[in-house]
């Protein structure tokens, strides 16, 4: 039993070392593609076998690092105070949630871009995307004039895609606060408008 506990502690330490090393590498490197599994293993002081056993592949490592950085926001959303927490009026909570997503993408541009570009499966099936979509849809359903909440949740989240955020912040050099204001205006406009005249969600 003590040997098993020691092995488990070693695995936890190795995992934390890998995430710390990967975090530093993705922050320093210009392109996410410049960071390899060999780089991360060397920086963490572990063998590549340990790395692959813990995370499966590069996409698994990216997901784990992404989730670790996202954890404070997740806690605020699940049990925190307004404007992110569950006691916030839905009309106020939707813009706050989306602003949190946008700020997270801005603060983690390289990692978010690497994660969304990794693998061949649809980004809309990623666990973190499905969680945000389900949450937004549930909150949107509490706003009386909003119809087709599932589609609107997808459309709003599309404006926070990492490739778009990277383009706006990197290529167009839009300042952070200006981008947040533009996005807030967009979200407010969507929430204020109903379905197009003469159309219903079923059509």
């Amino acid at each position: 039993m003590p040997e098993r506990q020691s092995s488990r502690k070693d695995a936890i330490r190795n995992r934390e070392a890998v995430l710390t090393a990967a975090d530093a590498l993705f922050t320093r490197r210009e392109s996410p593609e410049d960071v390899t599994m060999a780089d991360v293993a060397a920086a963490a002081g572990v063998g590549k076998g340990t790395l692959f056993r813990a995370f499966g592949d590069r996409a698994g490592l990216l997901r784990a690092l992404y989730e670790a950085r996202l954890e404070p926001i997740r806690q605020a959303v699940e049990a925190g105070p307004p404007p992110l927490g569950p006691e916030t009026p839905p009309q106020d909570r939707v813009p706050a949630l989306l602003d949190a997503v946008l700020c997270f993408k801005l603060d983690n541009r390289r990692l978010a871009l690497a994660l969304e570009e990794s693998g061949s499966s649809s980004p809309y099936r990623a666990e973190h995307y499905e969680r945000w979509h389900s949450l937004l849809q549930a909150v949107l359903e509490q706003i009386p004039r909003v119809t087709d909440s599932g589609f609107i949740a997808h459309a709003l989240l599309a404006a926070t895609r990492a490739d778009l955020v990277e383009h706006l912040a990197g290529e167009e050099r839009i300042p952070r606060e200006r981008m947040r204001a533009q996005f807030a205006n967009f979200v407010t406009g969507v929430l204020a408008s109903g379905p197009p005249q003469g159309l219903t969600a079923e059509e």
Side-chain angles (χ1 to χ4, degrees):
M1 183 69 69
E3 187 174 324
R4 183 178 300 175
Q5 290 177 342
S6 176
S7 177
R8 187 178 298 115
K9 288 179 181 178
D10 288 342
I12 293 173
R13 278 196 299 268
N14 286 340
R15 181 181 178 85
E16 291 175 349
V18 167
L19 290 176
T20 299
D23 198 354
L25 286 170
F26 277 107
T27 299
R28 290 199 306 265
R29 299 287 175 87
E30 185 65 28
S31 168
E33 296 305 316
D34 292 340
V35 180
T36 67
M37 293 290 271
D39 292 334
V40 175
V46 302
K48 286 180 66 176
T50 299
L51 193 61
F52 282 102
R53 281 193 298 273
F55 300 99
D57 55 17
R58 187 172 186 273
L61 173 60
L62 291 173
R63 286 193 297 271
L65 181 55
Y66 191 91
E67 291 295 335
R69 290 187 181 183
L70 192 61
E71 181 63 17
I73 297 177
R74 186 189 67 79
Q75 292 180 0
V77 168
E78 290 184 357
L84 294 180
E87 298 302 316
T88 311
Q91 186 74 29
D92 298 328
R93 196 180 185 202
V94 169
L97 290 170
L98 288 161
D99 182 64
V101 175
L102 176 63
C103 288
F104 182 81
K105 297 288 183 73
L106 286 167
D107 292 337
N108 299 274
R109 283 166 54 187
R110 295 188 182 96
L111 176 61
L113 192 62
L115 179 62
E116 292 185 12
E117 290 180 345
S118 68
S120 57
S121 60
S122 167
Y124 304 105
R125 296 187 180 277
E127 182 180 353
H128 62 88
Y129 181 87
E130 291 181 345
R131 285 204 309 269
W132 278 115
H133 180 266
S134 295
L135 174 63
L136 275 175
Q137 181 174 359
V139 180
L140 284 165
E141 286 173 353
Q142 301 172 38
I143 302 176
R145 63 176 168 273
V146 173
T147 61
D148 205 356
S149 57
F151 172 78
I152 292 176
H154 280 307
L156 291 172
L157 285 170
T160 69
R161 276 184 56 91
D163 52 359
L164 176 58
V165 171
E166 178 66 24
H167 173 75
L168 295 175
E171 298 296 324
E172 297 194 6
R173 299 185 180 277
I174 297 177
R176 177 191 185 94
E177 294 309 312
R178 181 183 169 199
M179 194 186 305
R180 291 180 67 193
Q182 289 174 330
F183 189 44
N185 289 337
F186 169 67
V187 175
T188 299
V190 171
L191 296 182
S193 63
Q197 191 170 9
L199 294 180
T200 65
E202 288 73 21
E203 294 175 327

